[in-house]
Amino acid sequence: QVQLVESGGGSVQPGGSLRLSCAASGSITSISVMSWYRQTPGKQRELVADFRDSGMRNYADSVRGRFTISRDFARHTVTLQMNSLTPDDTAVYYCFADRVRVYGGAVYGSRWGQGTQVTVSS
């Protein structure tokens, strides 16, 4: 069973920073893509950033230059450093992993974490 557990959400004033972390567990040998999404009430979940096993990183236009995604391939973790936060960044942030290979050869797709709240307010 593959699970993702996030940590690091909270409240911060505009201009502040937060760091989100996500750890994948479950006899994992490799993960193709690890990403962060976010969602606000009444809106669709949107991609914030992703980090592929090729080393390629992708950012939403709204966060490029402010957020940085990083991965530890050996430990199966992904982090999101968020700087210069604005109220528009307020959302529940979700960790996502796709094509998760485990010992024995099985490959799991589309795993989500439980979400962590980020609130940016003065």
Side-chain angles (χ1 to χ4, degrees):
Q1 186 78 352
V2 175
Q3 291 187 321
L4 303 178
V5 177
E6 301 120 334
S7 60
S11 297
V12 66
Q13 293 186 339
S17 298
L18 282 174
R19 183 180 179 90
L20 305 182
S21 297
C22 172
S25 62
S27 299
I28 297 168
T29 60
S30 66
I31 303 175
S32 180
V33 183
M34 296 193 80
S35 311
W36 287 97
Y37 284 75
R38 66 187 181 186
Q39 189 170 25
T40 55
K43 292 188 177 181
Q44 285 192 332
R45 197 169 294 187
E46 63 173 1
L47 177 67
V48 176
D50 64 29
F51 198 140
R52 299 179 178 274
D53 55 2
S54 64
M56 182 176 295
R57 309 180 204 198
N58 180 50
Y59 295 93
D61 289 343
S62 59
V63 307
R64 189 174 291 111
R66 300 187 297 122
F67 291 11
T68 302
I69 189 169
S70 58
R71 275 182 72 172
D72 185 324
F73 287 87
R75 298 186 178 188
H76 310 304
T77 61
V78 63
T79 60
L80 186 69
Q81 177 66 42
M82 306 184 293
N83 299 328
S84 303
L85 286 160
T86 75
D88 287 342
D89 296 315
T90 296
V92 177
Y93 284 70
Y94 295 90
C95 178
F96 172 82
D98 197 18
R99 297 193 292 280
V100 181
R101 184 177 296 275
V102 301
Y103 286 103
V107 178
Y108 295 87
S110 299
R111 288 294 186 267
W112 292 93
Q114 79 283 1
T116 184
Q117 177 70 45
V118 170
T119 301
V120 185
S121 174
S122 56

